[in-house]
Amino acid sequence: MTDIAAELTPREITRRLDEYIVGQQKAKRAVAVALRNRWRRRQLGAELAADVYPKNILMMGPTGVGKTEIARRLATLARAPFVKVEATKYSEVGYHGRDVESMVRDLVDAAVQLVRTEKLKEVEGRAAAAAEERLWHAVQEAAGLADYQDPRGFGAAPWRREPALGAIDPAALPSPEELAARERERQQLRADLATRRFEDRTVEVQVRDTRTPTLSVMGPQGNETMGIDTQALQELWGRSSGPKHKVRKLTIAEARQILHEEEADKLLDMDAIVQEAIDRAQNDGIVFVDEIDKIVSNGGTDGPDVSREGVQRDLLSVVEGCAVYTRYGHVRSDHMLFLAAGAFHFHKPSELIPELQGRFPVRVALTSLTEADFVRILTEPKNALARQYVALFKTEGVELAFTPDGVQKLAAIAFKANKTTQDIGARRLMTILEKCLEDLSFAANEKRGQKIVVDGKLVEQRLGDAGDDADLIPYRM
């Protein structure tokens, strides 16, 4: 686990989660302890640490109350590999569809991308310098100001000098004044390139061909599950998977970005990245399994219930620990943290197969959001909806402001709509706010320099009491 984990005490984790998620303190405390236990396990000896398994968590609660956000923010805090999957997308082994083990492969892919991104930041400076040098050579070639080579060979390396084919007319050689003027022009061109003065100019550069065709073997679950190494097959058949290059005409801005990526890739040690990614996936990875209540069997012995219970059995083997074959080799899931969530409207957690229940020893019930929670969601989090709309309108030169009574009215309408129609949690606020500000947002570019105040009167005028779109009410199911 990264060094930052040592600073993430359970209290600190809860505080940081509070910056984005309103309420749900029980769930925050449970995930905070689970995350801290991972750091504690790292401090143990290897023999004891191997027997300390994560306490997986089952979160129960209606949609839109923060289950997914808690898991996502937790992974971001710990800089841990994270993947969110829907339990309903999987099918039992032998049926058509994705198998449960693919979630581990997705996690490893996410881990490799995470580590690669971190390593790219470390080589940012060297990659930028190398890319700038390649771009400079392309620009001076396009401008006809490449390094001057004396026809007699002077100025070139001895091994690059070519014998003169005949007498050279001295009058054809540039004068010292012309060479000095050429050098001044080159220096000015380089200064302009450094200050980004002609980013829209087109230049020809040699870049890696990212469209190089690769061999793909079609299978029901992909190449990894079939144990096929397509790269080895390509090399065996003479279709090397090595990089190919081509010349492209690009603007200087586009060329700089592409060359920067290529130079950064040259500085990376992919073997070391993969090794670190596998370690972090196995020991720090977090898998969030959503909609787990949808794979609960209704008790039938045929039809889709058979597959649902089969998915539970397959999920059990992954959660309790097994070796999964990935494109990077075998990866074990013994110490991955699994967070499962479901609304459980029509089923109970006790209806899951007993073995799977035992693999989620920590259970947390999340509560429905109240009107007071809606008020806090609109204003308190760092990414609060009110702040987002203020920033969006500011891009049009319009000052948008929310008054306390306006926020209170929006919260009241959202809470009422959840009670009278379908409870979709905090997502109801998005519907209400978008409907309230739709006309204002449509004409925002025409109100540059103005100030718009969203108060209780404006909300009442645009939404009334229900906050429903009158045109949609007749079509409600």
Side-chain angles (χ1 to χ4, degrees), residues 393 397-403 447-454:
F393 273 75
V398 178
E399 181 182 354
L400 184 70
F402 290 84
T403 64
K447 301 179 181 294
R448 182 173 297 273
Q450 299 183 25
K451 180 177 181 179
I452 299 175
V453 178
V454 181

Side-chain angles (χ1 to χ4, degrees), residues 110-151:
V112 171
Q113 185 60 36
L114 176 66
V115 176
R116 183 177 181 275
T117 301
E118 293 175 356
K119 299 301 182 183
L120 282 175
K121 293 180 180 179
E122 297 178 4
V123 300
E124 184 83 20
R126 287 187 292 163
E132 198 71 17
E133 193 64 25
R134 283 180 61 185
L135 187 58
W136 160 239
H137 286 298
V139 169
Q140 64 179 350
E141 286 282 354
L145 296 173
D147 292 337
Y148 174 71
Q149 298 295 334
D150 194 300

Side-chain angles (χ1 to χ4, degrees), residues 181-420:
R182 177 188 176 89
E183 184 60 27
R184 287 194 299 270
E185 191 173 352
R186 280 166 47 84
Q187 294 301 325
Q188 181 61 45
L189 184 65
R190 182 142 202 173
D192 292 341
L193 179 65
T195 56
R196 312 288 200 268
R197 290 191 60 183
F198 42 79
E199 294 294 277
D200 295 332
R201 184 180 298 181
T202 303
V203 64
E204 287 189 353
V205 292
Q206 187 181 58
V207 296
R208 186 168 55 234
D209 187 0
T210 57
R211 297 180 300 174
T212 302
T214 57
L215 175 67
S216 178
V217 179
M218 299 299 293
Q221 308 296 343
N223 298 333
E224 292 89 350
T225 57
M226 299 175 66
I228 296 174
D229 189 341
T230 55
Q231 183 174 351
L233 285 177
Q234 288 183 102
E235 295 175 355
L236 179 64
W237 293 341
R239 294 177 57 186
S240 173
S241 59
K244 297 182 179 180
H245 296 83
K246 65 179 181 180
V247 176
R248 292 183 59 188
K249 286 187 177 181
L250 302 165
T251 65
I252 290 180
E254 293 171 339
R256 180 180 285 108
Q257 181 179 353
I258 294 176
L259 294 177
H260 182 276
E261 294 174 357
E262 289 188 6
E263 293 301 322
D265 285 337
K266 294 178 183 178
L267 297 171
L268 296 180
D269 183 352
M270 281 307 299
D271 291 336
I273 288 175
V274 169
Q275 184 177 359
E276 181 179 346
I278 290 177
D279 177 71
R280 289 173 67 171
Q282 292 182 140
N283 295 286
D284 303 331
I286 299 176
V287 180
F288 180 68
V289 185
D290 202 6
E291 306 290 353
I292 195 171
D293 57 315
K294 303 301 188 296
I295 59 172
V296 174
S297 172
N298 291 321
T301 57
D302 55 5
D305 288 339
V306 177
S307 181
R308 289 174 183 172
E309 190 166 321
V311 172
Q312 293 186 55
R313 289 193 298 267
D314 293 343
L315 181 60
L316 173 64
S317 65
V318 175
V319 174
E320 67 182 359
C322 67
V324 178
Y325 183 77
T326 71
R327 70 181 71 183
Y328 307 104
H330 284 88
V331 175
R332 294 204 62 86
S333 62
D334 303 72
H335 295 97
M336 296 177 182
L337 177 64
F338 288 86
L339 305 177
F344 289 97
H345 289 309
F346 306 106
H347 299 282
K348 296 179 293 184
S350 58
E351 295 179 37
L352 292 166
I353 61 175
E355 297 85 356
L356 188 58
Q357 293 182 48
R359 290 299 172 181
F360 288 90
V362 181
R363 297 184 182 182
V364 182
L366 285 79
T367 58
S368 297
L369 299 175
T370 64
E371 185 175 329
D373 290 332
F374 282 139
V375 173
R376 295 178 59 195
I377 291 171
L378 281 170
T379 56
E380 291 185 8
K382 284 186 174 181
N383 60 341
L385 286 173
R387 295 181 182 179
Q388 294 179 25
Y389 277 95
V390 169
L392 289 173
F393 273 75
K394 189 175 181 179
T395 62
E396 298 281 4
V398 178
E399 181 182 354
L400 184 70
F402 290 84
T403 64
D405 65 316
V407 171
Q408 185 66 47
K409 185 67 175 177
L410 288 168
I413 293 175
F415 180 73
K416 180 181 178 181
N418 273 350
K419 286 296 183 182
T420 56

